[in-house]
Amino acid sequence: VPSKNSRVERTGLTNSPKPIMSSSSDSIALVILNGFCVLLPIIAFVSPFTVFSPIFCNCSRAAAASSPNNDDGHTCGNKIQMPPLAVTSQMLQCGLFAIYAQYLRSNTLLIPNVIGFLLGLVWSTLYRWGMASSFASQWRWQYFLSMAMLVAGAVSAFKFRNPYYSSSVAAVSSVVMCTYPLPVIKRAWESREAALLGSTFMNLAMFLCCISWTIHSSPYVEYDIFVLTGNVCGVVVQGAALWTRLYLHHLQEEPTIPESNEQSPLLIA
C-alpha cells in the first residue's frame, strides 16, 4: 500500500495547504463531516430508485389488470425520460474505484464503491426495459463501453499490477457522474420537461453529496485538488438543475387566462 507521502509526491501536491482541522477523534465537526461523506454518497447511489419505481410499479399494475402490451413489449406506456448517463456513469465510476480500493486493500474506499457499483449495475440494466426509445443508442454504447472499461481496469490492476488506470479513469468519470444533468439542462429549460434531469431527490442527494465532499477536500480539511474539482463542478451543475426544477414548477403553477371567442357587447354595433 503506497504511503501518504508517496501519494503526495505522485500527485505533485507537496506544496498544498496543510489541513487546518484536526483528524483526531475529539474533533466533533470532522467526525460529523466524515459521516456525511460516507452516508450521502450511498443515498445518492440509491436515489435513482425514485425514477425507476414509478415506471415499473405502473407496469406491474397494468400487467395485473391484463392490459394489452404496447409495441415495445411493455405493459405500460410510461417511459424513463432521463438520459442513461446518470446511472451508467455511477456504474463505471464506482466499479473502477472499487477495483482501485481492492488493490490497495482499503475497506473504507471499497465498501461504498462496491455498493455504488452494484446499484449502478442494477439501474443501468433495468434502464433497458423502461427507457424511452430515443435513448436506446445512448444506453447501448454507454453500457457496453463502461463494461469494457471495467474489464480493462480489473486486468490492469490485478494482472499487470497497475491500479492507476482505474483511479485515473474513475476520477474523470466522477466528474461526469456529479454533473450528469449538464447535457440536458438547456433542453429541459426549453421543453419544460423536468424529467430529463432525473428526479428531484436525485438532484438534491447529489447536490448535498458534492457539498460534503467539497468541504472535505478543501484546504481546510484534507486537500485534494482532483476530488475538489469534480465536486465543485457537481455543486454548480446540480444546483443549476434544482433551480431549473424550481423555475419550471413555478411556471406550471402560474394561472392561465383563457381566451374568449365572444365579442364584448361594447364592440357590437
Short mmCIF file of all heavy atoms in Angstrom, two decimals, residues 44 47 86 174-182 185 197-211 230-245:
data_model
loop_
_atom_site.label_atom_id
_atom_site.label_comp_id
_atom_site.label_asym_id
_atom_site.label_seq_id
_atom_site.Cartn_x
_atom_site.Cartn_y
_atom_site.Cartn_z
N ALA A 44 -27.10 8.97 -2.53
CA ALA A 44 -27.10 9.37 -3.94
C ALA A 44 -27.12 8.15 -4.86
O ALA A 44 -27.78 8.17 -5.90
CB ALA A 44 -25.87 10.23 -4.24
N SER A 47 -30.67 6.84 -4.93
CA SER A 47 -31.69 7.80 -5.36
C SER A 47 -32.33 7.51 -6.73
O SER A 47 -33.48 7.90 -6.94
CB SER A 47 -31.12 9.22 -5.34
OG SER A 47 -30.06 9.36 -6.28
N ALA A 86 -26.71 9.26 -16.05
CA ALA A 86 -26.70 9.29 -14.59
C ALA A 86 -26.38 7.93 -13.99
O ALA A 86 -25.65 7.83 -13.00
CB ALA A 86 -28.05 9.79 -14.07
N SER A 174 -15.99 10.43 -12.38
CA SER A 174 -16.67 11.01 -11.22
C SER A 174 -17.17 12.42 -11.52
O SER A 174 -18.22 12.84 -11.03
CB SER A 174 -15.74 11.02 -10.00
OG SER A 174 -14.67 11.92 -10.20
N VAL A 175 -16.41 13.15 -12.34
CA VAL A 175 -16.87 14.48 -12.77
C VAL A 175 -18.14 14.34 -13.60
O VAL A 175 -19.11 15.09 -13.44
CB VAL A 175 -15.77 15.21 -13.56
CG1 VAL A 175 -16.28 16.56 -14.06
CG2 VAL A 175 -14.52 15.38 -12.70
N VAL A 176 -18.15 13.34 -14.49
CA VAL A 176 -19.32 13.08 -15.32
C VAL A 176 -20.52 12.71 -14.46
O VAL A 176 -21.64 13.20 -14.66
CB VAL A 176 -19.03 11.97 -16.35
CG1 VAL A 176 -20.29 11.66 -17.17
CG2 VAL A 176 -17.89 12.37 -17.27
N MET A 177 -20.30 11.84 -13.46
CA MET A 177 -21.40 11.41 -12.60
C MET A 177 -21.98 12.57 -11.81
O MET A 177 -23.20 12.68 -11.66
CB MET A 177 -20.91 10.32 -11.64
CG MET A 177 -22.02 9.74 -10.77
SD MET A 177 -21.42 8.53 -9.57
CE MET A 177 -20.55 9.61 -8.42
N CYS A 178 -21.12 13.45 -11.30
CA CYS A 178 -21.59 14.58 -10.50
C CYS A 178 -22.33 15.62 -11.33
O CYS A 178 -23.18 16.35 -10.81
CB CYS A 178 -20.42 15.24 -9.78
SG CYS A 178 -19.65 14.23 -8.49
N THR A 179 -22.01 15.68 -12.63
CA THR A 179 -22.57 16.73 -13.48
C THR A 179 -23.48 16.16 -14.57
O THR A 179 -23.67 16.80 -15.61
CB THR A 179 -21.44 17.54 -14.14
OG1 THR A 179 -20.64 16.67 -14.97
CG2 THR A 179 -20.54 18.17 -13.10
N TYR A 180 -24.08 14.99 -14.33
CA TYR A 180 -24.85 14.33 -15.39
C TYR A 180 -26.01 15.16 -15.96
O TYR A 180 -26.39 14.98 -17.12
CB TYR A 180 -25.38 12.97 -14.91
CG TYR A 180 -26.40 13.03 -13.79
CD1 TYR A 180 -27.74 13.28 -14.06
CD2 TYR A 180 -26.04 12.83 -12.47
CE1 TYR A 180 -28.68 13.34 -13.04
CE2 TYR A 180 -26.97 12.90 -11.45
CZ TYR A 180 -28.29 13.15 -11.74
OH TYR A 180 -29.21 13.22 -10.73
N PRO A 181 -26.63 16.12 -15.20
CA PRO A 181 -27.71 16.89 -15.84
C PRO A 181 -27.23 17.92 -16.86
O PRO A 181 -28.05 18.46 -17.61
CB PRO A 181 -28.39 17.61 -14.65
CG PRO A 181 -27.90 16.94 -13.43
CD PRO A 181 -26.53 16.44 -13.76
N LEU A 182 -25.93 18.20 -16.90
CA LEU A 182 -25.41 19.29 -17.72
C LEU A 182 -25.83 19.21 -19.19
O LEU A 182 -26.27 20.21 -19.76
CB LEU A 182 -23.88 19.36 -17.61
CG LEU A 182 -23.20 20.50 -18.35
CD1 LEU A 182 -23.69 21.86 -17.83
CD2 LEU A 182 -21.68 20.41 -18.21
N ILE A 185 -29.77 20.25 -19.44
CA ILE A 185 -30.38 21.38 -18.73
C ILE A 185 -31.02 22.35 -19.72
O ILE A 185 -32.16 22.80 -19.53
CB ILE A 185 -29.34 22.10 -17.85
CG1 ILE A 185 -29.05 21.28 -16.59
CG2 ILE A 185 -29.85 23.48 -17.44
CD1 ILE A 185 -28.07 21.93 -15.64
N LEU A 197 -33.97 15.78 -16.14
CA LEU A 197 -32.92 15.99 -15.13
C LEU A 197 -32.86 14.88 -14.10
O LEU A 197 -32.04 14.93 -13.18
CB LEU A 197 -33.17 17.32 -14.41
CG LEU A 197 -33.30 18.56 -15.31
CD1 LEU A 197 -33.74 19.76 -14.48
CD2 LEU A 197 -31.98 18.85 -16.01
N GLY A 198 -33.69 13.84 -14.26
CA GLY A 198 -33.81 12.84 -13.21
C GLY A 198 -34.90 13.26 -12.25
O GLY A 198 -35.75 14.10 -12.57
N SER A 199 -34.89 12.71 -11.04
CA SER A 199 -35.87 13.10 -10.04
C SER A 199 -35.32 14.22 -9.16
O SER A 199 -34.11 14.45 -9.11
CB SER A 199 -36.25 11.91 -9.16
OG SER A 199 -35.15 11.53 -8.35
N THR A 200 -36.22 14.91 -8.48
CA THR A 200 -35.79 15.95 -7.55
C THR A 200 -34.89 15.37 -6.47
O THR A 200 -33.88 15.98 -6.09
CB THR A 200 -37.01 16.62 -6.89
OG1 THR A 200 -37.86 17.15 -7.91
CG2 THR A 200 -36.58 17.74 -5.96
N PHE A 201 -35.23 14.18 -5.98
CA PHE A 201 -34.43 13.54 -4.94
C PHE A 201 -33.03 13.21 -5.44
O PHE A 201 -32.05 13.34 -4.70
CB PHE A 201 -35.13 12.27 -4.45
CG PHE A 201 -34.45 11.63 -3.27
CD1 PHE A 201 -34.47 12.23 -2.03
CD2 PHE A 201 -33.78 10.42 -3.41
CE1 PHE A 201 -33.84 11.64 -0.94
CE2 PHE A 201 -33.15 9.82 -2.33
CZ PHE A 201 -33.17 10.44 -1.10
N MET A 202 -32.91 12.79 -6.71
CA MET A 202 -31.58 12.51 -7.29
C MET A 202 -30.73 13.77 -7.30
O MET A 202 -29.57 13.75 -6.89
CB MET A 202 -31.73 11.97 -8.71
CG MET A 202 -32.17 10.52 -8.81
SD MET A 202 -32.27 9.98 -10.54
CE MET A 202 -30.54 10.05 -11.03
N ASN A 203 -31.30 14.87 -7.79
CA ASN A 203 -30.54 16.12 -7.86
C ASN A 203 -30.16 16.62 -6.47
O ASN A 203 -29.03 17.06 -6.25
CB ASN A 203 -31.36 17.19 -8.58
CG ASN A 203 -31.68 16.83 -10.02
OD1 ASN A 203 -32.76 17.12 -10.50
ND2 ASN A 203 -30.76 16.20 -10.71
N LEU A 204 -31.10 16.53 -5.52
CA LEU A 204 -30.83 17.02 -4.17
C LEU A 204 -29.79 16.14 -3.47
O LEU A 204 -28.88 16.66 -2.80
CB LEU A 204 -32.12 17.04 -3.36
CG LEU A 204 -32.02 17.57 -1.92
CD1 LEU A 204 -31.51 19.00 -1.92
CD2 LEU A 204 -33.37 17.47 -1.22
N ALA A 205 -29.90 14.82 -3.62
CA ALA A 205 -28.95 13.91 -2.98
C ALA A 205 -27.54 14.13 -3.51
O ALA A 205 -26.57 14.19 -2.74
CB ALA A 205 -29.39 12.46 -3.20
N MET A 206 -27.40 14.28 -4.83
CA MET A 206 -26.07 14.51 -5.40
C MET A 206 -25.54 15.89 -5.04
O MET A 206 -24.34 16.07 -4.81
CB MET A 206 -26.12 14.33 -6.92
CG MET A 206 -24.76 14.36 -7.59
SD MET A 206 -23.63 13.07 -7.00
CE MET A 206 -24.36 11.62 -7.76
N PHE A 207 -26.43 16.87 -4.96
CA PHE A 207 -26.04 18.23 -4.58
C PHE A 207 -25.44 18.24 -3.17
O PHE A 207 -24.36 18.79 -2.93
CB PHE A 207 -27.26 19.15 -4.65
CG PHE A 207 -26.99 20.58 -4.25
CD1 PHE A 207 -26.21 21.40 -5.03
CD2 PHE A 207 -27.55 21.10 -3.09
CE1 PHE A 207 -25.97 22.72 -4.67
CE2 PHE A 207 -27.31 22.41 -2.72
CZ PHE A 207 -26.53 23.23 -3.51
N LEU A 208 -26.13 17.59 -2.22
CA LEU A 208 -25.64 17.54 -0.84
C LEU A 208 -24.36 16.70 -0.73
O LEU A 208 -23.45 17.03 0.03
CB LEU A 208 -26.73 16.96 0.08
CG LEU A 208 -27.99 17.82 0.21
CD1 LEU A 208 -29.04 17.09 1.05
CD2 LEU A 208 -27.67 19.18 0.82
N CYS A 209 -24.30 15.62 -1.51
CA CYS A 209 -23.10 14.78 -1.52
C CYS A 209 -21.89 15.59 -2.01
O CYS A 209 -20.81 15.53 -1.41
CB CYS A 209 -23.33 13.57 -2.42
SG CYS A 209 -21.88 12.52 -2.65
N CYS A 210 -22.07 16.36 -3.07
CA CYS A 210 -20.97 17.16 -3.61
C CYS A 210 -20.56 18.27 -2.65
O CYS A 210 -19.37 18.60 -2.55
CB CYS A 210 -21.37 17.75 -4.97
SG CYS A 210 -21.52 16.52 -6.29
N ILE A 211 -21.53 18.84 -1.94
CA ILE A 211 -21.18 19.86 -0.95
C ILE A 211 -20.30 19.27 0.15
O ILE A 211 -19.29 19.86 0.55
CB ILE A 211 -22.46 20.48 -0.34
CG1 ILE A 211 -23.14 21.40 -1.34
CG2 ILE A 211 -22.13 21.26 0.94
CD1 ILE A 211 -24.42 22.02 -0.84
N GLY A 230 -13.96 17.94 -9.14
CA GLY A 230 -15.17 17.23 -9.56
C GLY A 230 -16.38 17.62 -8.74
O GLY A 230 -17.49 17.79 -9.28
N ASN A 231 -16.20 17.76 -7.44
CA ASN A 231 -17.34 18.05 -6.58
C ASN A 231 -17.78 19.51 -6.65
O ASN A 231 -18.97 19.79 -6.50
CB ASN A 231 -17.01 17.65 -5.14
CG ASN A 231 -17.09 16.16 -4.93
OD1 ASN A 231 -18.17 15.60 -4.78
ND2 ASN A 231 -15.94 15.49 -4.95
N VAL A 232 -16.85 20.43 -6.89
CA VAL A 232 -17.26 21.82 -7.12
C VAL A 232 -18.11 21.90 -8.39
O VAL A 232 -19.15 22.59 -8.42
CB VAL A 232 -16.03 22.74 -7.23
CG1 VAL A 232 -16.42 24.10 -7.79
CG2 VAL A 232 -15.37 22.91 -5.87
N CYS A 233 -17.69 21.19 -9.43
CA CYS A 233 -18.49 21.14 -10.66
C CYS A 233 -19.87 20.55 -10.38
O CYS A 233 -20.89 21.03 -10.90
CB CYS A 233 -17.78 20.32 -11.73
SG CYS A 233 -16.26 21.05 -12.36
N GLY A 234 -19.92 19.51 -9.53
CA GLY A 234 -21.19 18.89 -9.18
C GLY A 234 -22.10 19.84 -8.43
O GLY A 234 -23.31 19.87 -8.67
N VAL A 235 -21.54 20.62 -7.51
CA VAL A 235 -22.35 21.60 -6.76
C VAL A 235 -22.98 22.60 -7.72
O VAL A 235 -24.18 22.92 -7.62
CB VAL A 235 -21.49 22.33 -5.71
CG1 VAL A 235 -22.26 23.50 -5.11
CG2 VAL A 235 -21.08 21.37 -4.60
N VAL A 236 -22.19 23.10 -8.67
CA VAL A 236 -22.69 24.11 -9.61
C VAL A 236 -23.78 23.52 -10.51
O VAL A 236 -24.87 24.10 -10.67
CB VAL A 236 -21.53 24.66 -10.46
CG1 VAL A 236 -22.06 25.59 -11.56
CG2 VAL A 236 -20.52 25.39 -9.59
N VAL A 237 -23.52 22.34 -11.11
CA VAL A 237 -24.47 21.77 -12.07
C VAL A 237 -25.73 21.27 -11.37
O VAL A 237 -26.85 21.52 -11.85
CB VAL A 237 -23.79 20.63 -12.86
CG1 VAL A 237 -24.81 19.92 -13.75
CG2 VAL A 237 -22.65 21.18 -13.70
N GLN A 238 -25.57 20.56 -10.26
CA GLN A 238 -26.76 20.08 -9.55
C GLN A 238 -27.56 21.24 -8.98
O GLN A 238 -28.80 21.19 -8.92
CB GLN A 238 -26.36 19.10 -8.44
CG GLN A 238 -25.70 17.83 -8.92
CD GLN A 238 -26.64 16.92 -9.71
OE1 GLN A 238 -27.85 17.07 -9.66
NE2 GLN A 238 -26.07 15.97 -10.43
N GLY A 239 -26.88 22.29 -8.54
CA GLY A 239 -27.58 23.49 -8.09
C GLY A 239 -28.37 24.12 -9.23
O GLY A 239 -29.52 24.55 -9.03
N ALA A 240 -27.78 24.15 -10.42
CA ALA A 240 -28.49 24.68 -11.59
C ALA A 240 -29.69 23.81 -11.94
O ALA A 240 -30.74 24.33 -12.34
CB ALA A 240 -27.53 24.77 -12.78
N ALA A 241 -29.54 22.49 -11.79
CA ALA A 241 -30.66 21.58 -12.07
C ALA A 241 -31.80 21.81 -11.08
O ALA A 241 -32.98 21.83 -11.47
CB ALA A 241 -30.18 20.13 -12.01
N LEU A 242 -31.48 21.99 -9.81
CA LEU A 242 -32.51 22.25 -8.80
C LEU A 242 -33.19 23.59 -9.07
O LEU A 242 -34.42 23.71 -8.92
CB LEU A 242 -31.89 22.22 -7.40
CG LEU A 242 -31.47 20.84 -6.88
CD1 LEU A 242 -30.64 20.99 -5.61
CD2 LEU A 242 -32.70 19.97 -6.61
N TRP A 243 -32.42 24.60 -9.45
CA TRP A 243 -33.00 25.91 -9.75
C TRP A 243 -33.92 25.81 -10.97
O TRP A 243 -34.99 26.43 -11.01
CB TRP A 243 -31.91 26.93 -9.99
CG TRP A 243 -32.44 28.33 -10.09
CD1 TRP A 243 -32.66 29.21 -9.07
CD2 TRP A 243 -32.81 29.00 -11.30
NE1 TRP A 243 -33.16 30.39 -9.56
CE2 TRP A 243 -33.27 30.29 -10.93
CE3 TRP A 243 -32.83 28.64 -12.65
CZ2 TRP A 243 -33.72 31.22 -11.85
CZ3 TRP A 243 -33.28 29.58 -13.58
CH2 TRP A 243 -33.71 30.84 -13.18
N THR A 244 -33.50 25.04 -11.99
CA THR A 244 -34.33 24.83 -13.17
C THR A 244 -35.64 24.16 -12.80
O THR A 244 -36.72 24.53 -13.29
CB THR A 244 -33.57 23.99 -14.21
OG1 THR A 244 -32.36 24.65 -14.57
CG2 THR A 244 -34.42 23.77 -15.46
N ARG A 245 -35.58 23.17 -11.92
CA ARG A 245 -36.79 22.49 -11.45
C ARG A 245 -37.73 23.48 -10.76
O ARG A 245 -38.94 23.47 -10.98
CB ARG A 245 -36.43 21.38 -10.48
CG ARG A 245 -35.90 20.14 -11.13
CD ARG A 245 -35.70 19.05 -10.08
NE ARG A 245 -35.37 17.81 -10.72
CZ ARG A 245 -36.26 17.00 -11.28
NH1 ARG A 245 -37.54 17.32 -11.24
NH2 ARG A 245 -35.88 15.89 -11.86
#
